[in-house]
Amino acid sequence: MSSVSLCADGTRLASSSINGEIRLFDVESRKPLPFPEHDGERWLGWIQRGLVALSPDGQLLAGLGQGTLTVRNANSGELVSKYEQVAAPICFSPDSRSLAGMTEAGVRIWNTGDWSSRLVGAPLAITLHQSRSLVFTSDGSRLIICPTHLGGKIKVWNIADNRMEEGLTGLDRPCSISTQGSRVAAVGCEG
Protein backbone atom coordinates (compact mmCIF):
# COMPACT_ATOMS: atom_id res chain seq x y z
CA MET A 1 0.00 0.00 0.00
CA SER A 2 1.24 3.47 -0.89
CA SER A 3 -1.03 5.67 1.27
CA VAL A 4 -4.24 5.70 3.29
CA SER A 5 -6.66 8.43 4.32
CA LEU A 6 -9.59 8.31 6.74
CA CYS A 7 -12.52 10.74 6.74
CA ALA A 8 -13.20 12.68 9.96
CA ASP A 9 -16.15 10.60 11.17
CA GLY A 10 -14.22 7.37 10.60
CA THR A 11 -16.79 5.79 8.26
CA ARG A 12 -14.73 5.76 5.06
CA LEU A 13 -11.14 4.83 4.32
CA ALA A 14 -9.35 5.49 1.02
CA SER A 15 -6.17 3.67 0.04
CA SER A 16 -3.78 3.69 -2.89
CA SER A 17 -1.40 0.91 -3.75
CA ILE A 18 2.00 1.05 -5.40
CA ASN A 19 0.45 -0.05 -8.71
CA GLY A 20 -1.96 2.93 -8.60
CA GLU A 21 -5.09 1.11 -7.53
CA ILE A 22 -7.45 3.34 -5.53
CA ARG A 23 -9.93 1.74 -3.15
CA LEU A 24 -12.58 3.24 -0.92
CA PHE A 25 -13.81 1.17 2.04
CA ASP A 26 -16.73 1.25 4.42
CA VAL A 27 -14.87 1.03 7.74
CA GLU A 28 -17.63 -0.64 9.76
CA SER A 29 -18.24 -3.49 7.31
CA ARG A 30 -14.59 -3.53 6.14
CA LYS A 31 -15.88 -3.97 2.60
CA PRO A 32 -14.81 -2.00 -0.46
CA LEU A 33 -17.35 0.47 -1.79
CA PRO A 34 -18.23 0.12 -5.47
CA PHE A 35 -16.27 2.26 -7.90
CA PRO A 36 -18.02 3.56 -11.00
CA GLU A 37 -16.41 4.01 -14.37
CA HIS A 38 -16.44 7.60 -15.51
CA ASP A 39 -15.65 9.02 -18.94
CA GLY A 40 -14.48 5.57 -20.00
CA GLU A 41 -11.73 5.63 -17.36
CA ARG A 42 -11.79 2.98 -14.68
CA TRP A 43 -11.56 4.76 -11.35
CA LEU A 44 -9.36 2.11 -9.80
CA GLY A 45 -6.36 3.06 -11.90
CA TRP A 46 -6.18 6.82 -12.09
CA ILE A 47 -2.89 7.29 -10.25
CA GLN A 48 0.38 5.41 -10.34
CA ARG A 49 2.66 5.06 -7.35
CA GLY A 50 1.01 8.08 -5.80
CA LEU A 51 -0.99 8.96 -2.81
CA VAL A 52 -4.58 9.55 -1.91
CA ALA A 53 -6.31 12.08 0.37
CA LEU A 54 -9.95 11.72 1.39
CA SER A 55 -11.59 14.97 2.48
CA PRO A 56 -12.65 14.96 6.15
CA ASP A 57 -16.33 15.12 5.12
CA GLY A 58 -15.76 12.06 2.90
CA GLN A 59 -17.07 13.78 -0.25
CA LEU A 60 -13.85 14.38 -2.21
CA LEU A 61 -11.05 11.99 -3.09
CA ALA A 62 -7.76 13.49 -4.27
CA GLY A 63 -5.19 11.30 -5.97
CA LEU A 64 -1.69 12.38 -6.82
CA GLY A 65 0.55 10.48 -9.18
CA GLN A 66 3.15 11.27 -11.83
CA GLY A 67 2.79 15.00 -11.18
CA THR A 68 -0.97 15.16 -11.71
CA LEU A 69 -3.44 15.97 -8.94
CA THR A 70 -6.88 14.58 -9.73
CA VAL A 71 -9.88 15.30 -7.51
CA ARG A 72 -13.04 13.21 -7.86
CA ASN A 73 -16.41 13.07 -6.16
CA ALA A 74 -16.01 10.18 -3.71
CA ASN A 75 -19.60 9.03 -4.28
CA SER A 76 -19.96 9.19 -8.07
CA GLY A 77 -16.35 9.07 -9.25
CA GLU A 78 -17.00 12.17 -11.37
CA LEU A 79 -13.95 14.30 -12.11
CA VAL A 80 -14.14 17.53 -10.09
CA SER A 81 -10.77 19.11 -10.83
CA LYS A 82 -7.35 18.28 -12.25
CA TYR A 83 -3.97 20.04 -11.97
CA GLU A 84 -0.57 19.33 -13.51
CA GLN A 85 2.88 19.76 -11.95
CA VAL A 86 1.85 19.00 -8.38
CA ALA A 87 3.99 16.94 -6.00
CA ALA A 88 3.48 15.23 -2.67
CA PRO A 89 2.42 15.92 -0.05
CA ILE A 90 -1.24 16.95 -0.35
CA CYS A 91 -3.77 17.48 2.42
CA PHE A 92 -7.32 18.71 3.03
CA SER A 93 -8.22 21.26 5.69
CA PRO A 94 -10.32 19.91 8.59
CA ASP A 95 -13.48 21.60 7.23
CA SER A 96 -12.87 20.13 3.72
CA ARG A 97 -12.97 23.64 2.22
CA SER A 98 -9.29 23.70 1.20
CA LEU A 99 -6.79 21.36 -0.40
CA ALA A 100 -3.07 22.12 -0.14
CA GLY A 101 -0.28 20.76 -2.30
CA MET A 102 3.21 21.47 -3.57
CA THR A 103 3.61 23.10 -7.00
CA GLU A 104 6.54 24.51 -8.97
CA ALA A 105 5.60 27.99 -7.71
CA GLY A 106 5.40 26.87 -4.06
CA VAL A 107 2.68 25.68 -1.68
CA ARG A 108 -0.75 26.19 -3.27
CA ILE A 109 -4.11 26.14 -1.48
CA TRP A 110 -7.22 25.40 -3.57
CA ASN A 111 -10.70 26.43 -2.42
CA THR A 112 -12.82 23.28 -2.89
CA GLY A 113 -15.99 25.32 -3.42
CA ASP A 114 -14.96 27.02 -6.67
CA TRP A 115 -11.41 25.63 -7.16
CA SER A 116 -9.83 29.07 -7.11
CA SER A 117 -6.35 28.96 -5.62
CA ARG A 118 -3.63 31.03 -4.06
CA LEU A 119 0.02 30.56 -3.32
CA VAL A 120 1.21 30.57 0.25
CA GLY A 121 3.38 33.71 0.64
CA ALA A 122 6.62 34.23 -1.23
CA PRO A 123 8.87 34.19 1.87
CA LEU A 124 8.21 30.48 2.17
CA ALA A 125 10.39 29.62 -0.86
CA ILE A 126 9.46 25.94 -0.88
CA THR A 127 8.77 24.43 -4.28
CA LEU A 128 8.06 21.14 -6.00
CA HIS A 129 9.67 18.09 -4.33
CA GLN A 130 10.94 20.20 -1.38
CA SER A 131 8.48 19.10 1.29
CA ARG A 132 8.18 15.86 3.17
CA SER A 133 4.98 16.58 5.07
CA LEU A 134 2.13 19.08 4.98
CA VAL A 135 -0.79 19.36 7.43
CA PHE A 136 -3.42 21.88 8.48
CA THR A 137 -3.95 22.56 12.18
CA SER A 138 -7.24 21.23 13.55
CA ASP A 139 -8.85 24.69 13.37
CA GLY A 140 -7.59 25.22 9.80
CA SER A 141 -5.87 28.49 10.71
CA ARG A 142 -2.33 27.32 10.01
CA LEU A 143 -0.49 25.09 7.59
CA ILE A 144 2.48 23.21 8.99
CA ILE A 145 5.16 22.38 6.44
CA CYS A 146 8.16 20.14 6.81
CA PRO A 147 10.58 21.19 4.04
CA THR A 148 13.45 18.99 2.88
CA HIS A 149 16.03 21.77 2.56
CA LEU A 150 15.80 23.73 5.82
CA GLY A 151 17.53 21.29 8.13
CA GLY A 152 15.50 20.60 11.25
CA LYS A 153 13.15 23.57 10.96
CA ILE A 154 9.43 22.97 10.54
CA LYS A 155 7.55 25.96 9.07
CA VAL A 156 4.23 27.26 10.45
CA TRP A 157 2.22 29.39 8.01
CA ASN A 158 -0.62 31.56 9.36
CA ILE A 159 -3.25 31.36 6.62
CA ALA A 160 -5.47 34.28 7.73
CA ASP A 161 -2.54 36.69 8.18
CA ASN A 162 -0.65 35.29 5.15
CA ARG A 163 2.63 35.22 7.07
CA MET A 164 5.24 32.85 8.43
CA GLU A 165 5.17 32.30 12.17
CA GLU A 166 8.06 31.12 14.27
CA GLY A 167 9.45 27.84 12.97
CA LEU A 168 9.76 24.71 15.11
CA THR A 169 13.28 23.39 15.60
CA GLY A 170 15.11 20.63 17.41
CA LEU A 171 14.66 17.66 15.12
CA ASP A 172 17.24 16.29 12.69
CA ARG A 173 15.80 15.94 9.20
CA PRO A 174 12.07 15.91 10.07
CA CYS A 175 10.06 13.78 7.66
CA SER A 176 6.53 13.43 9.02
CA ILE A 177 4.31 15.67 11.13
CA SER A 178 0.89 15.54 12.72
CA THR A 179 -1.11 18.04 14.72
CA GLN A 180 -4.15 18.20 16.99
CA GLY A 181 -5.03 21.59 18.45
CA SER A 182 -2.00 23.39 19.82
CA ARG A 183 0.45 20.46 19.70
CA VAL A 184 2.63 19.20 16.87
CA ALA A 185 4.25 15.78 16.73
CA ALA A 186 7.14 15.15 14.37
CA VAL A 187 9.40 12.27 13.51
CA GLY A 188 12.80 12.55 11.88
CA CYS A 189 14.81 10.29 9.63
CA GLU A 190 17.19 9.64 12.51
CA GLY A 191 14.44 8.33 14.80
Side-chain angles (χ1 to χ4, degrees):
M1 191 158 326
S2 183
S3 73
V4 294
S5 183
L6 186 66
C7 69
D9 67 5
T11 60
R12 285 178 159 188
L13 174 83
S15 70
S16 69
S17 64
I18 291 174
N19 69 0
E21 188 174 40
I22 301 286
R23 291 186 182 252
L24 190 61
F25 294 90
D26 174 79
V27 172
E28 188 173 324
S29 70
R30 297 182 182 177
K31 295 188 185 221
L33 296 169
F35 285 98
E37 285 193 23
H38 201 276
D39 298 331
E41 178 181 315
R42 190 150 165 79
W43 198 26
L44 292 179
W46 52 276
I47 67 169
Q48 278 191 325
R49 295 186 185 165
L51 73 141
V52 67
L54 182 62
S55 63
D57 65 7
Q59 300 303 304
L60 295 172
L61 186 58
L64 178 64
Q66 297 183 331
T68 301
L69 172 64
T70 306
V71 183
R72 294 190 179 269
N73 179 300
N75 298 309
S76 69
E78 182 180 350
L79 180 66
V80 173
S81 203
K82 189 173 185 176
Y83 303 96
E84 301 294 329
Q85 298 180 333
V86 180
I90 57 172
C91 69
F92 281 98
S93 63
D95 62 7
S96 302
R97 292 183 183 172
S98 298
L99 174 63
M102 302 301 299
T103 68
E104 285 190 2
V107 178
R108 183 167 294 280
I109 299 175
W110 290 273
N111 175 324
T112 61
D114 62 8
W115 295 99
S116 60
S117 69
R118 66 184 169 113
L119 283 172
V120 169
L124 197 51
I126 298 171
T127 59
L128 206 59
H129 306 295
Q130 292 184 335
S131 179
R132 287 191 178 102
S133 191
L134 187 67
V135 66
F136 283 92
T137 56
S138 58
D139 65 1
S141 67
R142 289 165 178 79
L143 189 60
I144 301 173
I145 304 152
C146 180
T148 59
H149 69 291
L150 296 175
K153 193 164 200 168
I154 295 171
K155 299 290 194 175
V156 179
W157 185 261
N158 185 312
I159 294 168
D161 295 342
N162 203 32
R163 67 176 175 81
M164 185 64 63
E165 293 185 348
E166 193 68 32
L168 306 172
T169 60
L171 187 63
D172 269 349
R173 296 176 18 197
C175 58
S176 184
I177 51 177
S178 180
T179 183
Q180 283 293 342
S182 62
R183 296 180 187 262
V184 176
V187 64
C189 295
E190 303 298 322

